[in-house]
């Protein structure tokens, strides 16, 4: 978990929200054909989308595409999510999104170095971290009855 926290420590607020939005999406992502997405697919999709946003920030509309079909499907799932998050923000959003997507790629490489031979190490890490974020509140054994919109931030 510290790796994920360290990966966003220098982000601005929008970049942090984008990273968490992408991480949440990836932790829940299940392709329609039920194939297992691996870290390489996520890295390839992140690279392609980052390149697309970088190109758009320079005023050129060109969609970079990943080579693998699972990565392409992942891009298709992420694209509307990021489009909604960036409505009306313009080129500043494109720059922020490209920074975040490049960081996703960087974290995947770091996780891969620490856990070689595990093709889903990053996705499993996200699954564990994001699942722990959705745990039940104290005194609520099964998580039912809690307000999902309530803030979980504890301020001293």
């Amino acid at each position: 978990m510290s790796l994920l926290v360290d990966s966003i420590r220098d982000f601005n607020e929008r970049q942090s929200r984008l990273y968490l939005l992408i991480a949440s999406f990836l932790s829940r992502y299940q392709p329609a054909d039920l194939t297992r997405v691996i870290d390489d697919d996520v890295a390839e999709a992140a690279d392609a989308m980052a390149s697309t946003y970088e190109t758009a920030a320079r005023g050129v509309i060109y969609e970079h595409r990943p080579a693998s079909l699972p990565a392409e499907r992942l891009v298709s799932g992420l694209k509307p999510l990021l489009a909604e998050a960036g409505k009306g923000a313009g080129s500043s959003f494109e720059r922020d999104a490209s920074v975040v997507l490049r960081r996703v790629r960087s974290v995947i490489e770091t996780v891969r170095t620490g856990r070689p031979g595990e093709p889903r190490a990053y996705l499993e890490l996200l699954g564990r971290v994001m699942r722990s974020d959705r745990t039940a509140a104290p005194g609520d054994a099964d998580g039912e009855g809690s307000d999902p919109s309530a803030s979980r931030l504890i301020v001293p």
Side-chain angles (χ1 to χ4, degrees):
M1 182 151 129
S2 65
L3 174 65
L4 294 178
V5 172
D6 285 344
S7 69
I8 64 172
R9 74 178 179 280
D10 61 339
F11 281 170
N12 63 36
E13 183 178 345
R14 182 180 2 189
Q15 290 169 339
S16 296
R17 288 177 189 241
L18 278 173
Y19 190 90
L20 293 174
L21 180 70
I22 292 168
S24 178
F25 174 83
L26 292 172
S27 72
R28 296 184 324 276
Y29 180 70
Q30 186 65 26
D33 64 357
L34 301 178
T35 58
R36 288 193 82 188
V37 175
I38 60 173
D39 293 347
D40 287 339
D41 298 327
V42 177
E44 191 177 331
D47 276 344
M49 291 186 78
S51 294
T52 298
Y53 281 120
E54 289 164 353
T55 304
R58 290 190 298 268
V60 178
I61 305 301
Y62 177 78
E63 186 173 340
H64 297 264
R65 301 187 61 148
S68 74
L69 185 57
E72 180 67 36
R73 288 182 180 145
L74 187 56
V75 167
S76 295
L78 272 170
K79 199 183 305 182
L81 183 73
L82 293 179
E84 180 67 27
K87 272 189 181 173
S91 64
S92 67
F93 176 81
E94 293 161 348
R95 285 189 298 274
D96 285 342
S98 67
V99 167
V100 169
L101 290 161
R102 293 291 182 203
R103 184 69 54 88
V104 167
R105 171 61 185 230
S106 173
V107 173
I108 290 170
E109 291 300 320
T110 303
V111 170
R112 184 179 295 154
T113 301
R115 295 175 64 186
E118 295 184 37
R120 291 183 45 86
Y122 175 74
L123 289 168
E124 289 170 3
L125 174 64
L126 281 182
R128 286 191 306 272
V129 170
M130 299 311 280
R131 184 176 26 252
S132 69
D133 184 44
R134 295 185 299 253
T135 56
D140 190 8
D142 60 0
E144 291 183 35
S146 63
D147 182 8
S149 65
S151 173
R152 296 195 172 153
L153 179 64
I154 299 171
V155 179

